[in-house]
């Protein structure tokens, strides 16, 4: 596999020079300064590519070209935004960038409730507490009709949390939910979040899925022409939030997506932590089933808590998913592609959502994107990959 590293551009606290020292060779990044829905020009793409290459690295994956909200809910700017997205893909292909990771999560991107969950070893991880999320939804956001999305017991537990929490705790919770985590498309305050959610009033999972189909059929021809492989990222977490449907949450969703626009250009990102945060998703079986359409891998792990809905970011080779099994399937697929003489035989992967460890605690760090924590994860994952590769060679 190609070992890559998420970099958020010139303002990222982790520099390209530091990334080189991790032994990652590829960069995963995006042009975050360009507004959602606008075309990425060739000049802008080449300028960012030149910065990366000057540091001795390769821009391997675009993550992500954001999908405009009008595409997701079917707003009046949908056709224009789809056209701009298609043109961006053509420009990326012309610039030599061939893998694009994106997501189709409405309004709220990946969601957590705690950026500093303390671990037994003294480090910190991110966490999603379902009851704290419910408390924010019910008693901070005060979303109309929210109680219908929770059981009476969950509502009562959320109420108890809200009433016992001090101002600092509630402020930290609100900041984590509203202000946008790295890679999120938008940041919100309470009023703008309510306005964003209102656009989806009455939109069912079927409607959202159909809008995804319209989007795919609008951009896949451009991706084919550009030689670009699209790799959709699953919902994180893969369950409805704030009354919003989710449509990239399990194997059935993945199959629907691939069938909606049959093409080699229409593929998947295997995010082990996202799919693995619901116990019914067998990530090894999913990796095996969809191997030939997996174009990118986020290798991270989570531990699901007793309620079945909360989880925390565990070590990359710990947690509830069989990371060794996932890597074995990816290595097998790379060998199949190489033997068949296919393009893109090597699958880029990155260590995702590292713990806050050691010097990470003393330096500015984006939530989930600590230097030392990801370095540890990359070292562990590379060791697993090497062991799997050697085992297959000796078999």
């Amino acid at each position: 596999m190609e070992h890559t590293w998420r970099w958020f551009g010139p303002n990222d606290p982790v520099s390209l020079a530091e990334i080189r020292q991790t032994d990652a060779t590829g960069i995963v990044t995006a042009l975050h300064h360009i507004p959602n829905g606008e075309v990425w020009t060739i000049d802008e793409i080449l300028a960012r590519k030149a910065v990366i290459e000057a540091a001795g690295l390769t821009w391997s994956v675009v993550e992500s070209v954001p999908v405009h909200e009008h595409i997701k809910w079917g707003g009046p700017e949908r056709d224009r935004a789809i056209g701009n997205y298609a043109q961006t893909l053509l420009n990326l292909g012309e610039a030599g960038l061939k893998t694009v990771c994106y997501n189709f999560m409405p309004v709220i991107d990946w969601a957590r409730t705690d950026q500093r969950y303390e671990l037994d070893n003294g480090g910190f991880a991110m966490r999603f507490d379902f009851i704290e999320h419910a408390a924010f939804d019910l008693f901070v956001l005060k979303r109309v009709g929210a109680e219908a999305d929770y059981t009476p017991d969950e509502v009562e537990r959320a109420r108890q949390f809200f009433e016992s929490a001090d101002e600092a705790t509630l402020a930290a919770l609100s900041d984590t939910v509203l202000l946008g985590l790295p890679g999120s498309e938008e940041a919100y305050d309470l009023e703008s979040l309510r306005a964003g959610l209102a656009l989806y009033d009455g939109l069912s999972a079927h409607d959202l899925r159909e809008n995804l189909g319209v989007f795919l059929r609008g951009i896949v021809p451009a991706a084919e022409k550009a030689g670009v492989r699209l790799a959709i990222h699953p919902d994180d977490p893969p369950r409805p939030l704030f009354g919003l449907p989710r449509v990239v949450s399990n194997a059935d969703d993945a199959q629907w997506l691939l069938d909606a626009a049959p093409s080699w250009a229409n593929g998947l990102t295997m995010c082990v932590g996202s799919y693995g945060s619901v116990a019914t998703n067998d990530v090894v079986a999913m990796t095996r089933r969809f191997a030939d359409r997996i174009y990118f891998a986020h290798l991270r792990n989570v531990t699901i808590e007793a309620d079945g809905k909360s989880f925390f970011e565990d070590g990359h080779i710990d947690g509830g998913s069989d990371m060794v099994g996932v890597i074995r399937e990816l290595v097998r697929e790379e060998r199949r592609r190489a033997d068949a003489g296919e393009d893109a035989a090597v699958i880029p992967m990155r260590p995702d959502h590292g713990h806050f460890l050691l010097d990470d605690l003393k330096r500015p760090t984006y939530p989930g994107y600590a230097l030392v924590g990801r370095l540890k994860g990359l070292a562990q994952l590379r060791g697993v990959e090497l062991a799997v590769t050697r085992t297959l060679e000796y078999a």
Side-chain angles (χ1 to χ4, degrees):
M1 289 185 283
E2 180 187 13
H3 306 143
T4 68
W5 193 276
R6 185 77 181 269
W7 182 62
F8 293 97
N11 294 325
D12 195 319
V14 179
S15 70
L16 292 173
E18 290 172 319
I19 294 171
R20 280 200 68 188
Q21 295 179 49
T22 70
D23 286 336
T25 58
I27 291 296
V28 177
T29 194
L31 303 183
H32 297 288
H33 61 286
I34 296 180
N36 292 357
E38 299 303 313
V39 174
W40 293 14
T41 66
I42 292 177
D43 286 346
E44 290 272 13
I45 296 165
L46 290 177
R48 176 60 57 84
K49 186 179 180 184
V51 169
I52 293 168
E53 291 178 350
L57 297 160
T58 301
W59 188 357
S60 300
V61 179
V62 178
E63 185 181 353
S64 60
V65 181
V67 180
H68 197 281
E69 288 295 324
H70 279 233
I71 296 173
K72 299 173 190 174
W73 64 270
E77 292 295 314
R78 177 175 68 180
D79 291 346
R80 172 183 173 274
I82 290 175
N84 285 353
Y85 203 105
Q87 185 60 54
T88 292
L89 294 178
L90 292 171
N91 293 347
L92 288 167
E94 184 174 338
L97 292 160
K98 300 299 184 179
T99 304
V100 173
C101 174
Y102 68 102
N103 75 70
F104 210 77
M105 290 179 265
V107 186
I108 291 291
D109 204 307
W110 56 296
R112 300 292 183 271
T113 58
D114 189 352
Q115 299 178 21
R116 290 261 174 168
Y117 174 66
E118 188 166 4
L119 302 166
D120 291 340
N121 65 1
F124 296 87
M126 294 193 299
R127 181 170 178 255
F128 178 81
D129 185 298
F130 184 74
I131 295 303
E132 292 181 12
H133 162 78
F136 175 86
D137 191 14
L138 290 162
F139 306 117
V140 178
L141 182 63
K142 299 178 182 178
R143 178 171 61 89
V144 175
E147 286 199 13
D149 292 336
Y150 305 98
T151 67
D153 178 65
E154 289 167 346
V155 171
E156 180 56 30
R157 290 168 61 200
R159 187 188 311 278
Q160 291 174 8
F161 167 81
F162 176 75
E163 292 177 349
S164 63
D166 58 26
E167 290 186 9
T169 298
L170 293 176
L173 174 61
S174 295
D175 286 348
T176 299
V177 175
L178 291 171
L179 295 184
L181 297 166
S184 297
E185 296 179 19
E186 306 287 353
Y188 296 93
D189 58 23
L190 289 174
E191 287 307 311
S192 62
L193 178 56
R194 292 185 186 110
L197 294 174
L199 296 173
Y200 290 84
D201 282 350
L203 195 82
S204 68
H206 172 78
D207 296 331
L208 183 63
R209 177 177 273 185
E210 290 303 306
N211 289 343
L212 174 55
V214 170
F215 172 63
L216 287 170
R217 290 185 286 273
I219 66 166
V220 164
E224 291 177 333
K225 183 177 180 180
V228 168
R229 294 171 294 276
L230 298 166
I232 196 166
H233 188 284
D235 304 323
D236 184 11
R239 60 168 51 90
L241 297 176
F242 300 115
L244 297 169
R246 300 283 219 181
V247 293
V248 191
S249 295
N250 53 45
D252 289 343
D253 292 339
Q255 188 64 61
W256 182 93
L257 177 130
L258 296 177
D259 293 340
S263 169
W264 60 264
N266 181 24
L268 308 171
T269 294
M270 170 44 68
C271 180
V272 177
S274 293
Y275 283 125
S277 60
V278 170
T280 51
N281 284 335
D282 183 336
V283 293
V284 176
M286 290 178 68
T287 304
R288 184 182 308 117
R289 174 177 173 180
F290 299 114
D292 65 334
R293 301 291 280 280
I294 293 173
Y295 298 140
F296 187 31
H298 287 185
L299 301 184
R300 65 180 179 88
N301 223 326
V302 303
T303 287
I304 301 172
E305 299 179 16
D307 64 3
K309 297 179 179 180
S310 303
F311 60 87
F312 67 91
E313 306 269 6
D314 214 325
H316 288 77
I317 57 175
D318 301 310
S321 295
D322 177 6
M323 190 63 73
V324 176
V326 169
I327 291 175
R328 181 183 297 114
E329 296 302 327
L330 294 174
V331 170
R332 283 174 172 162
E333 172 60 16
E334 287 183 321
R335 291 188 169 202
R336 186 201 64 78
R337 295 180 191 182
D339 290 344
E342 296 182 9
D343 292 336
V346 178
I347 299 171
M349 69 82 157
R350 68 176 178 87
D352 202 10
H353 298 187
H355 290 164
F356 300 89
L357 306 170
L358 304 171
D359 285 355
D360 292 333
L361 304 176
K362 304 173 186 176
R363 58 184 288 166
T365 302
Y366 288 161
Y369 290 93
L371 174 59
V372 177
R374 282 187 290 167
L375 174 60
K376 177 183 176 182
L378 179 58
Q380 292 174 324
L381 295 168
R382 291 178 69 196
V384 171
E385 181 189 0
L386 179 60
V388 164
T389 302
R390 292 290 174 83
T391 300
L392 292 175
E393 288 174 354
Y394 297 152

